[in-house]
Structures are given as C-alpha cells and as structure tokens.
C-alpha cells in the first residue's frame, strides 16, 4: 500500500511502507536555508499535532508479543498504546516516520538530523504502536546510536531518549544492545560536561537494558560503573534516580558485586538511605534494593552495617498485633533499669509519664548510647501501637519474595530498636529471624553495646527456655556474638544466662553447632584468668566495672519480674553438679580440638570455686586429659604430613596447640591437690607431655606444657637441675626457642638484651645439645643482627653465644652467610668494647 503526502508545491513525496521513494517535480531552483527550515518546521508541527500522536498512560502489564516495559517509573516512560486508540488518529504521523528516518542519514546536515531525531523521539512517546512503526525501518537504531557522538546536547538527548523508548519494549532490547548502544552511551557519559537531561535519558536507557541478565554483565564490565556511582551525588534528583535504578539492576547479578563494592558503591547508597530529602522516594527504594542484594554476601553485609544500616526482617504487620506495651506501669530504661520516681504519684494528666525525659531526676545525665536506645524504642513502639510499622513494606519491590526471606534496611538506631521489639512478639519465625539479624549485626563494640542498652540481652536470655528449637538456636547464636564483648560478660551472667546454658549442656541430644556456641559463651564468661584478676584487683577488668552494671541489671530484672535476685555465686554452683562435670569430661574425650580447649578452660574455672576440686577429682578427669594429649595432630618433628595439605595441617596444629595448652593449665592446677597427685599416673602423663614438647605445635602453646612437666618432675623428684632429662628437654624445646623468638621479633631492646643474656647463661652452663638447638631454630641470623644493633651487654652475650657455636665447624657457613665477618671486623678495627671477643670469633672462622 502506498501512502502519499504533499509537503509543498515543489515536492511530491511518496511514502512506502517500509521504504520510501523521493520524486521531485519542477526542480526550478535551490532553496535557501530559511526556506528549508520553514518547510521542515511546518512538517514537524503537522507531525506532532495532538490529534496525530498524543502521550499515553504507562501500561504496567505487557503483552505476550513483546510489550512495553520502561524501568524508569516516571511519567515520561515509553509505553504501549491502549486498545481504544483508533488507527486513523495516528495515520498522519505514521506517514511522516519514513521521512524523518531518512533525514537521520549521514548525507544530511547536523540541523536536519537534530530536528529529525527530536521528532522521532517525541513520536515514540506515543507508545508501543508508534515504536513498532519506527522499528519497521532497518538501520534506524544504528543511525540513532551514531547521533550519540553529536556535539549538540539536544541531539544527544533526543537520540538517548529514542533509545530509551525503544529499549522499553522487550522485543527490541537485544536489537538496541547489538547496535552498540551500550558502548555509545558509555562514550557519551564519559564526556566532561553534560546536561542533566542527557544524563537522565542515557542512564534510563541503561536502566531498561539492565533488566536483562546478560546485558547487566556487559554494562558492569564497561567503564560506566564509576560514573553511575558518582551520579548518586548529582544535584538533579532524576539523574540520581536513573543512576540508582541501573545500579539496583546490576546488583541483581552476583558476579557484579565485587566490582561494585570495589568502586565504592556501599557508602554512596548508605548515605542516600540515611539522608531524608524531598522527592527521594524512588532513589531510596533503588538504593535499598541494591544494598539488600549486596548483604546476601556476609562480608559485604559487614560493610553495610559499618555504614550505620542494620538489616531487619520483614515479619508482616500482623505479627506486631501481639505487641503489648506497658502503658500503665512506671517507665523503665530500654535495658530494664528502672527510673527513680521523683514524684509521689502520677500527675493529674499523666504529664510526668508522657514527658519522662523532662522528669528523670538524677538520671538526667544519660550516656549517648542510652539516649539513642530511648529514642529508638520510643519511635518503634509508637509505630507499632498505631499500626504503621512495616506499612511501606507492602509496597516494597520485594513483594514477590516469600515473607520469610524479606528484609529491609534501617538506620542503626531504629534498626536495633526494631529488632529488640520483634523479640517481644509471639511469632516464633519472627523471633528467630530477629535473633539471627542481631547475631549478624553484632560486628563491633558499638553495635554490641547498642543492643545491650536497647534491652536485647534480657529478652534473649528469656528466650533460651523457648519450646522451639529454631528459636533457641537463633538466640544462642545471637548471645554468642554478643559475648565477644568483654564488657558484657557480667551483664550476661547477671541476667541469669548460666542456668539455661547449663541445661543445654546437660542435654545429650544437643546438636554440635549448638553445643559449640554454648561452650563459647561459657568459656568467655567463665574465664579463669579474668576471675583471678578480679580476686586481686577491685578496679575495672577488661573495660567493665565489676558489679555496677551487673547489680544494676540484676536489680532491674528483679523489679520487673517481682522475683528475688539470684546471687551470681549461686548460679555458678550449678556447675559443681556431677552431671555437668561428667558431661564436660565426656566432651573432652570425644570432641575436636576447638571444643576441648573451651571445656578445659571451663573446668579450670570450676577448680577456683570451693570446694569444686573434690567434685572434679571424683570423676575420671584423667581420661579426658589423656584424650587431649594423644591427639592425632601431636606428632614428632620427624613425622610426615602424610599427604595432608600444608595449610590444613598448620590449622590442625594451631587448634591442637591451643587445646593442649588449656589442658596443661588444667593439669597444673589439679596437681595442687595432693589427692589428685596420688590418683594420677604421673609417669604416663610425663611421657605424653615430653612427646608434645618435641612436636610441631606452635611455640607459644608449649609454655604451659613445659610448666606442667616441671611441676610433674618436682613432685616425683624434688632435686631439680639441668641434669634432669625432663628439665633438659624443657630447656631445649621450649626455653631456647622462646628466647630466640624474643631476640628475633621483639621491638624492645631491653627484651632482646634479657633474652640474649639468658640464652648465653644456658649455653655457658653446658646444657647438652644447647648450641645445636640454637642453630636448628635459626638463631644465628638474629644473633648477628644483635651484635650490629644491640646494647653493649647484648653484644657481649651475642658474641659469647656465637663463639660457642663456632666451635662446631658445621655452623661456620651459617655464621658467615649471616654477615658476621664484616660486623666483627668493624668492631675490631674501631676497637669497640668487646673487640677482643670479636677477634677470637674471627680466628675461629675460615676467613
């Protein structure tokens, strides 16, 4: 079918569909630029008449044959036409499409091409039918992409706008991408100065294309990523929204996460969520969606939390109906501390309760953390009481995700308060997810303190007795992460955590992971070294005030529940139950090294409680210690790795060393009991510890092994000297390596000097194989460095040691390789102190 339209008395243009043919009549003269512009403007005005092509409403539902989807939710999105649009209303505009497509050609001047691309862009806003008409002409996309290189901002904006409209149709996305649109837009956006309109249209095109997974990877691998991230700081809100939309889509592909994080996207997106600005709803939504994809990786989740955002599970507004605020009770601090009542009774209109912050008396000067906890609790409880909490969640983009997987991100003050509020609900799934979020968010001291001030600990301890296994597991995980903070040990103990943990310990059906976390918490709270400090030092221990926080929390808990406070010592006495001790020794026999270390530490703590020594001796603790000392990882130095990977073997040795060290400390403590000494087979344990002393476990873990060996030896043979084989082995395998390590690694000249003097004393006393032990531990090189940089006393000791080593010709090459000859000659030539010792050493060397 041929459609024609007469443009002027001198031109007769016949339009074909999809091709057109130009025929001219009466080509009398060449027209001026003014005449050409006049006719083009006349044609353009007719092309864009409201009757020929009007803007249509955005259609969200796409037809199966390739409907219109524009990722940008603004009104200017290109969309399909409604069914009620008559074909006659757009016939005039359709007839002009071919002309304007032809005017995009390179044989036309820049002004003609600009007017043509602007006309086509405006026409494409008519919807899917208009876009289909444009796409009938082959090469239209390529010519449009070519116009992205134009110097005119209007041309670039129109070209990017047309690509945006076309890419909103699923059917044409691949065609746009294959035509080089991504590369063209990348080059366009790399220009130093662009108008906001050009940025918006270009990035909205990328927004549409990034819906496709393959195209997302292509966009992320281009040079456009830094520009998109920097655009989040643009002054134009529409540019921000477009950049956020592209980044949100790119975050849907896990393979893009590392590039995005390395480019610095997390601080930019977090800033958008923490800053309230007018008209920022779209950009906040896109920023939240992008970060929610990133936090699926545990390492990126830590980075997001460090920026002040907390992942909070979406549990549904219905779950909050079970929340019952204490409306008629005297208010308390979020952590349960009761506020002193400064008035004899409530005010007439309840003002003293409502405006509590103005009437807190001695509590007026609050810490910053406690103030934030009060603000967060007040805001979240208010939202819950009026039913407005999670109101926006119904319109989240995650609405297609199952409820048990949905999250949102809140600023940390609101996020911490929201998580604590969820712990008070009756929904088991919600409680479990909130506890897991608390565990994930407890990444530093600031967050752990915030949860403590918000009252999370008292609720978590209460939930340890919950009937649901899932709830108990999540709660123990949260408490384990909170217990990392040494300032919370006594708060946890004061809240009564020991009793439910001991009950968990007694259950034989407790899973391995749950048992490990339970032992983690117990080992941190019941640390014997901290307990001994508290016995001899009344000041702060590990940054916490011994008894003030504990008493405050305990008294608050008692006031809330009406119960009589339970003494901390009473709760500790539960550990003396024979069932508990038997269970601990059973774990000591059958568990891996990491659990053995914790159990040994707990048992050592129990020995501090009187009269617990007898309770431990009554059970077969020797069998548990023997199991620790006979681990597979404890081997002679000559033993082969047996095909084991070196990294795996090193990790196994590290864990075994820690377990052996803890067990040796426990055994040393038990040897103070005469009853235990009579019961134990000291010869057998001496053999086991001597073997461990020669093993490959880290040197720092051998100190307690050596101390335990010496104590065993002193019990069996009171005369202690270097001729004793046990003491000699301790010297060779623990003392000498430790002294060499101090000379090599210590930054303190005094420590190096003391170590060198002690090492010289051992060698001078003629301990058998002492010089060989120094050489085998690579002690020659640090000794040579010491004679160059050490103090006079250290130099004297080092020269004496090296002289003894030089008596063995096997050490000559190592001494020379360490650079001893130039250092010795320098001492002799300058006649420094001890130059005679240096000269004697030089004479022993083959130089």
């Amino acid at each position: 079918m041929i459609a024609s339209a007469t443009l002027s008395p001198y031109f007769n243009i016949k339009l074909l569909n999809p091709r057109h043919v130009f025929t001219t009549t009466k080509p009398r003269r060449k027209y001026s630029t003014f005449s050409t512009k006049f006719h083009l403007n006349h044609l353009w005005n007719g092309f864009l008449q409201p009757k020929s092509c009007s803007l249509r409403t955005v259609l969200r539902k796409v037809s199966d044959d390739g409907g219109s989807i524009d990722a940008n939710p603004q009104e200017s999105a290109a969309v399909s036409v409604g069914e009620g649009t008559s074909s006659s209303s757009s016939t005039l505009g359709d007839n002009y499409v071919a002309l304007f497509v032809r005017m995009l050609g390179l044989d036309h001047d820049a002004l003609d091409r600009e007017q043509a691309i602007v006309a086509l862009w405006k026409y494409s806003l008519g919807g899917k039918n208009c876009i289909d008409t444009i796409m009938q002409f082959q090469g239209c996309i390529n010519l449009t992409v070519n116009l992205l290189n134009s110097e005119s901002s209007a041309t670039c904006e129109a070209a990017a706008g047309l690509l945006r409209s076309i890419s909103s149709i699923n059917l044409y996305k691949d065609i746009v991408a294959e035509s080089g649109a991504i590369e063209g837009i990348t080059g366009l956006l790399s220009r130093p100065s662009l108008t906001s309109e050009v940025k918006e249209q270009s990035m909205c095109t990328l927004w549409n294309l990034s819906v496709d997974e393959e195209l997302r990877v292509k966009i992320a691998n281009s040079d456009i990523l830094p520009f998109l991230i920097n655009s989040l700081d643009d002054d134009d809100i529409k540019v921000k929204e477009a950049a956020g939309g592209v980044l949100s889509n790119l975050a849907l592909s896990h393979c893009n996460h590392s590039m995005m994080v390395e480019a610095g996207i997390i601080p930019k997106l977090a800033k958008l969520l923490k800053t309230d600005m007018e008209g920022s709803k779209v950009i906040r939504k896109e920023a939240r969606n992008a970060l929610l994809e990133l936090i699926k990786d545990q390492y990126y989740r830590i980075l997001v939390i460090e920026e002040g955002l907390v992942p909070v599970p979406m549990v549904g507004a219905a779950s909050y109906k079970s929340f019952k605020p204490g409306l008629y009770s005297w208010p308390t601090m979020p952590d349960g501390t009761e506020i002193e009542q400064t008035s004899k009774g409530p005010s007439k209109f309840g003002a003293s309760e409502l405006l509590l912050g103005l009437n807190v008396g001695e509590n007026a000067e609050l810490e910053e953390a406690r103030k934030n906890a009060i603000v967060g609790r007040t805001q979240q409880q208010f939202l819950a009481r009026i039913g407005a909490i999670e109101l926006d969640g119904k319109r989240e983009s995650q609405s297609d995700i199952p409820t048990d997987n949905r999250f949102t991100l809140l600023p940390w003050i609101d996020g911490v308060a929201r998580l604590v509020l969820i712990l008070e609900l009756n929904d088991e799934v919600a409680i479990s997810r909130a506890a897991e979020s608390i565990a994930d968010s407890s990444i530093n001291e600031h967050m752990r303190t915030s949860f403590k001030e918000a009252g999370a600990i008292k609720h978590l301890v209460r939930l340890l007795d919950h009937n649901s296994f899932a709830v108990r597991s999540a709660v123990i995980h949260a408490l384990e992460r909170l217990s990392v903070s040494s300032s919370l040990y006594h708060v946890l103990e004061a809240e009564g955590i020991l009793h439910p943990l001991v009950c968990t310990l007694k259950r034989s059906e407790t899973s391995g992971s749950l048992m490990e976390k339970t032992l983690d918490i117990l080992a941190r709270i019941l640390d014997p070294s901290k307990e001994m400090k508290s016995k001899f030092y009344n000041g702060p221990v590990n940054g916490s005030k011994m008894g003030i926080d504990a008493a405050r929390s305990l008294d608050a808990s008692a006031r809330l529940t009406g119960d009589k406070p339970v003494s901390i010592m009473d709760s500790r006495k539960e550990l003396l139950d024979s069932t508990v001790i038997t269970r601990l020794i059973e774990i000591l026999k059958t568990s891996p090294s990491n659990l053995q270390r914790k159990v040994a530490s707990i048992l050592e703590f129990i020995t501090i409680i009187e009269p617990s020594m007898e309770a431990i001796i009554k059970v077969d603790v020797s069998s548990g210690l023997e199991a620790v000392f006979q681990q597979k990882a404890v081997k002679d130095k000559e033993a082969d790795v047996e095909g084991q990977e070196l990294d795996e073997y090193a990790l196994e040795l590290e864990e075994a060393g820690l377990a052996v060290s803890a067990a040796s400390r426990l055994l040393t403590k038990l040897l103070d009991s005469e009853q235990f000494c009579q019961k134990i087979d000291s010869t057998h344990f001496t053999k086991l510890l001597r073997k461990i002393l020669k093993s490959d476990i880290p040197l720092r873990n051998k100190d307690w092994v050596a101390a335990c060996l010496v104590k065993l030896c002193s019990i069996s043979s009171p005369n202690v000297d270097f001729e004793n084989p046990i003491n000699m082995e301790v010297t060779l395998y623990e003392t000498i390596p430790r002294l060499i390590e101090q000379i090599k690694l210590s930054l303190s000249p005094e420590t190096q000097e003391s170590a060198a003097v002690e090492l010289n004393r051992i060698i001078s006393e003629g301990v058998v194989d002492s010089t060989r032990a120094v050489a085998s531990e690579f002690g020659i090189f640090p000794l040579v460095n010491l004679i160059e940089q050490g103090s006079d006393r250290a130099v004297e000791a080092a020269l004496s040691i090296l002289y003894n080593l030089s008596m063995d010709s096997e050490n000559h090459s190592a001494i020379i390789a360490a650079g001893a000859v130039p250092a010795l000659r320098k001492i002799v030539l300058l006649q420094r102190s001890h130059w005679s010792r240096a000269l004697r050493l030089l004479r022993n060397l083959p130089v």
Side-chain angles (χ1 to χ4, degrees):
M1 176 179 180
I2 299 177
S4 62
T6 303
L7 302 182
S8 71
Y10 310 106
F11 284 83
N12 180 23
I13 303 178
K14 297 181 179 180
L15 303 181
L16 299 174
N17 193 4
R19 296 184 178 183
H20 59 275
V21 177
F22 286 86
T23 61
T24 62
T25 60
K26 301 182 180 179
R28 297 180 181 178
R29 67 180 186 273
K30 187 175 181 180
Y31 284 89
S32 64
T33 304
F34 174 80
S35 178
T36 304
K37 289 183 178 179
F38 175 80
H39 291 295
L40 283 175
N41 289 333
H42 175 75
L43 175 61
W44 193 357
N45 292 333
F47 179 63
L48 296 177
Q49 286 296 328
K51 293 183 179 180
S52 63
C53 181
S54 61
L55 294 177
R56 284 137 176 111
T57 308
V58 178
L59 293 181
R60 297 298 181 187
K61 189 175 180 180
V62 185
S63 58
D64 295 336
D65 59 346
S68 171
I69 299 179
D70 191 350
N72 185 4
Q74 302 302 310
E75 293 180 357
S76 58
V79 290
S80 59
V81 185
E83 294 180 358
T85 304
S86 62
S87 59
S88 60
S89 64
S90 60
T91 302
L92 179 60
D94 294 347
N95 292 337
Y96 291 144
V97 170
L99 173 61
F100 285 110
V101 171
R102 176 65 184 87
M103 290 174 62
L104 296 179
L106 301 178
D107 54 338
H108 288 76
D109 59 34
L111 183 58
D112 291 347
R113 300 180 74 195
E114 176 181 325
Q115 291 182 339
I117 191 64
V118 170
L120 289 173
W121 173 35
K122 300 299 182 183
Y123 175 73
S124 68
L125 298 179
K128 184 179 181 299
N129 291 339
C130 297
I131 296 173
D132 289 340
T133 303
I134 296 174
M135 292 302 294
Q136 293 180 20
F137 301 95
Q138 298 179 0
C140 174
I141 298 297
N142 293 329
L143 293 172
T144 303
V145 171
N146 180 266
L147 287 174
L148 295 174
N149 301 321
S150 174
E151 298 296 330
S152 170
S153 296
T155 301
C156 293
E157 178 188 359
L162 179 58
L163 291 174
R164 172 188 177 183
S165 299
I166 295 174
S167 62
S168 67
I169 307 299
N170 291 335
L171 184 63
Y172 303 135
K173 278 186 172 64
D174 291 337
I175 300 176
V176 173
E178 291 171 0
S179 65
I182 296 176
E183 293 80 4
I185 291 175
T186 301
L188 173 61
L189 294 178
S190 63
R191 297 183 188 178
S193 59
L194 291 174
T195 63
S196 298
E197 292 77 9
V198 175
K199 294 178 183 178
E200 177 192 355
Q201 298 300 331
S202 300
M203 286 189 287
C204 284
T205 302
L206 296 178
W207 193 350
N208 289 338
L209 294 176
S210 60
V211 174
D212 186 272
E213 184 174 359
E214 294 182 0
L215 299 182
R216 283 200 295 266
V217 176
K218 188 175 182 180
I219 294 172
N221 289 330
S222 64
D223 298 330
I224 199 67
L225 192 57
F227 177 85
L228 292 172
I229 295 176
N230 292 332
S231 296
L232 295 174
D233 294 328
D234 198 279
D235 295 333
D236 192 320
I237 187 63
K238 292 185 178 180
V239 174
K240 281 186 178 182
E241 292 174 356
V246 180
L247 292 171
S248 177
N249 284 347
L250 294 182
L252 295 174
S253 296
H254 183 270
C255 59
N256 296 334
H257 288 183
S258 60
M259 290 184 291
M260 298 173 71
V261 173
E262 290 173 4
I265 189 175
I266 290 180
K268 300 279 189 180
L269 295 177
K271 181 181 178 182
L272 293 173
L273 284 182
K274 293 186 294 183
T275 305
D276 290 330
M277 63 184 81
E278 186 178 355
S280 61
K281 184 176 180 181
V282 174
I283 183 58
R284 287 170 61 85
K285 173 186 174 183
E286 300 301 336
R288 182 182 295 108
N289 291 342
L291 288 175
L292 287 174
E293 290 296 327
L294 292 175
I295 64 172
K296 293 178 180 179
D297 185 289
Q298 58 178 340
Y299 299 107
Y300 301 151
R301 184 189 306 124
I302 293 174
L303 297 179
V304 172
I305 296 172
E306 286 180 343
E307 292 297 328
L309 296 175
V310 176
V312 176
M314 303 286 286
V315 299
S319 299
Y320 290 94
K321 294 180 180 179
S322 62
F323 172 68
K324 299 178 181 179
L327 298 178
Y328 303 102
S329 60
W330 184 259
T332 61
M333 292 294 181
D335 64 347
T337 304
E338 188 173 290
I339 300 174
E340 182 180 355
Q341 299 188 29
T342 56
S343 59
K344 296 181 180 180
S347 60
K348 184 176 181 180
F349 299 102
S352 61
E353 289 81 8
L354 181 63
L355 304 177
L356 185 62
L358 303 177
N359 190 27
V360 291
E362 296 179 357
N363 298 294
E365 295 183 1
L366 299 175
E367 299 175 356
E368 188 67 24
R370 182 158 293 189
K371 291 180 182 178
N372 292 329
I374 294 174
V375 171
R377 180 188 65 172
T378 303
Q379 292 176 345
Q380 297 305 312
Q381 288 189 357
F382 174 75
L383 292 175
R385 288 168 61 183
I386 67 174
I389 202 165
E390 285 195 12
L391 193 61
D392 294 336
K394 299 177 181 179
R395 297 187 293 269
E396 289 275 348
S397 62
Q398 295 181 336
S399 57
D400 56 335
I401 302 176
T403 305
D404 57 349
N405 291 328
R406 293 173 59 196
F407 284 86
T408 188
L409 289 169
L410 296 177
W412 69 269
I413 294 178
D414 295 323
V416 169
R418 177 79 65 86
L419 290 173
V420 175
L421 177 62
I422 296 175
L423 294 179
E424 302 180 51
L425 305 180
N426 295 332
D427 190 339
E428 295 181 0
V429 176
I431 294 173
S432 301
R433 297 181 64 204
E436 289 293 345
S437 291
I438 291 175
D440 293 338
S441 302
S442 300
I443 61 170
N444 51 36
E445 193 70 16
H446 165 69
M447 291 302 301
R448 290 190 286 268
T449 303
S450 300
F451 281 116
K452 184 204 78 166
E453 294 295 344
I457 292 179
K458 65 179 180 181
H459 294 299
L460 292 171
V461 173
R462 171 180 57 82
L463 292 168
L464 283 174
D465 294 326
H466 200 278
N467 296 327
S468 171
F469 173 77
V471 171
R472 293 199 306 270
S473 300
V475 165
I476 286 185
H477 186 201
L479 288 169
E480 188 270 331
R481 297 302 305 153
L482 290 171
S483 67
V484 173
S485 177
S486 58
S487 62
L488 301 185
Y489 294 163
H490 298 282
V491 179
L492 289 167
E493 192 171 3
E495 291 290 350
I497 194 175
L498 290 182
H499 174 70
L501 290 182
V502 169
C503 293
T504 302
L505 199 63
K506 290 180 180 179
R507 299 191 188 101
S508 57
E509 69 275 7
T510 303
S511 63
S513 61
L514 196 61
M515 180 63 69
E516 181 177 359
K517 291 181 177 64
T518 301
L519 291 174
D520 270 334
I521 301 172
L522 286 173
R524 288 166 183 162
I525 296 176
L526 308 177
D527 190 336
S529 60
K530 296 182 179 65
E531 183 66 16
M532 292 304 296
K533 285 182 182 179
S534 67
K535 287 181 178 294
F536 299 101
Y537 181 54
N538 294 325
V541 176
N542 293 324
S544 63
K545 296 181 180 179
M546 296 284 306
I548 295 179
D549 291 340
R552 183 179 66 189
S553 299
L554 189 61
D555 292 342
S557 177
R559 280 192 293 267
L560 289 174
T561 59
D563 297 332
K564 182 179 179 180
V566 180
S567 170
I568 291 179
M569 290 306 300
D570 291 340
S571 63
R572 288 182 178 181
K573 287 182 180 179
E574 293 187 47
L575 298 169
L576 303 180
D577 187 0
S578 59
T579 306
V580 176
I581 297 177
T582 303
R583 177 62 173 157
L584 289 172
I585 293 176
E586 181 182 346
I587 297 173
L588 201 63
K589 292 179 184 178
T590 59
S591 299
S593 301
N594 61 331
L595 296 186
Q596 288 177 333
R597 171 179 58 84
K598 298 163 189 173
V599 170
S601 178
I602 295 171
L603 288 172
E604 183 186 354
F605 183 90
I606 295 177
T607 61
I608 301 175
I609 308 175
E610 296 295 340
S612 60
M613 190 73 77
E614 297 180 2
I616 294 179
I617 294 174
K618 288 180 181 179
V619 297
D620 189 15
V621 67
S622 301
S623 60
L625 294 172
E626 185 178 353
V628 178
F629 295 145
Q630 289 182 330
Q631 294 183 75
K632 182 181 179 182
V634 179
K635 304 175 183 179
D636 294 333
K637 285 190 174 183
E638 293 79 10
D640 296 330
V641 181
E642 298 179 358
Q644 209 173 13
E645 294 292 338
L646 291 179
D647 292 342
E648 182 182 348
Y649 180 61
L651 180 61
E652 187 177 350
L653 280 178
E654 180 75 22
E655 292 287 351
L658 293 172
V660 166
S661 179
S664 299
R665 285 181 55 176
L666 174 60
L667 179 56
T668 305
K669 183 68 177 178
L670 291 173
L671 288 174
D672 292 337
S673 170
E674 184 177 351
Q675 182 182 356
F676 180 78
C677 292
Q678 295 174 355
K679 187 177 180 180
I680 192 177
D681 185 356
S682 58
T683 304
H684 177 61
F685 277 96
T686 300
K687 291 180 180 179
L688 293 177
L689 291 175
R690 289 176 68 179
K691 183 178 180 181
I692 292 172
L693 198 63
K694 300 176 184 178
S695 68
D696 290 330
I697 66 172
L699 177 62
R700 59 183 176 275
N701 301 134
K702 292 183 179 181
D703 51 356
W704 278 104
V705 177
C708 189
L709 265 175
V710 171
K711 193 161 188 176
L712 280 171
C713 179
S714 64
I715 293 174
S716 59
S717 177
N719 298 322
V720 180
D721 53 25
F722 281 113
E723 297 300 326
N724 188 300
I726 294 178
N727 288 281
M728 186 170 60
E729 288 181 0
V730 169
T731 302
L732 294 176
Y733 296 108
E734 195 276 329
T735 307
I736 290 178
R738 174 171 49 82
L739 294 174
I740 292 174
E741 187 177 73
Q742 291 177 358
I743 297 173
K744 185 188 305 183
L745 302 178
S746 177
L747 299 177
S748 171
E750 293 79 8
T751 303
Q752 290 181 325
E753 179 183 307
S754 300
V757 171
E758 177 66 17
L759 183 60
N760 184 38
R761 184 188 65 80
I762 293 174
I763 294 176
S764 300
E765 291 179 356
V767 178
V768 179
D769 292 333
S770 59
T771 56
R772 184 175 298 176
V774 173
S776 64
E777 292 293 334
F778 306 102
I780 294 177
F781 280 80
L783 288 170
V784 171
N785 291 334
L786 194 61
I787 66 176
E788 295 177 338
Q789 304 172 1
S791 62
D792 289 345
R793 192 177 177 208
V795 171
E796 180 183 5
L799 288 172
S800 179
I801 297 170
L802 289 172
Y803 180 78
N804 286 318
L805 289 172
S806 68
M807 294 298 182
D808 187 349
S809 60
E810 294 182 357
N811 296 328
H812 287 175
S813 59
I815 295 174
I816 295 173
V821 174
L824 294 173
R825 284 177 176 171
K826 185 176 181 180
I827 294 174
V828 173
L829 292 175
L830 296 178
Q831 291 191 348
R832 293 179 179 174
S833 57
H834 319 300
W835 66 270
S836 58
R837 290 178 181 270
L839 183 59
R840 281 197 305 161
L841 178 55
L842 272 173
R843 288 173 179 173
N844 272 2
L845 297 176
V847 293

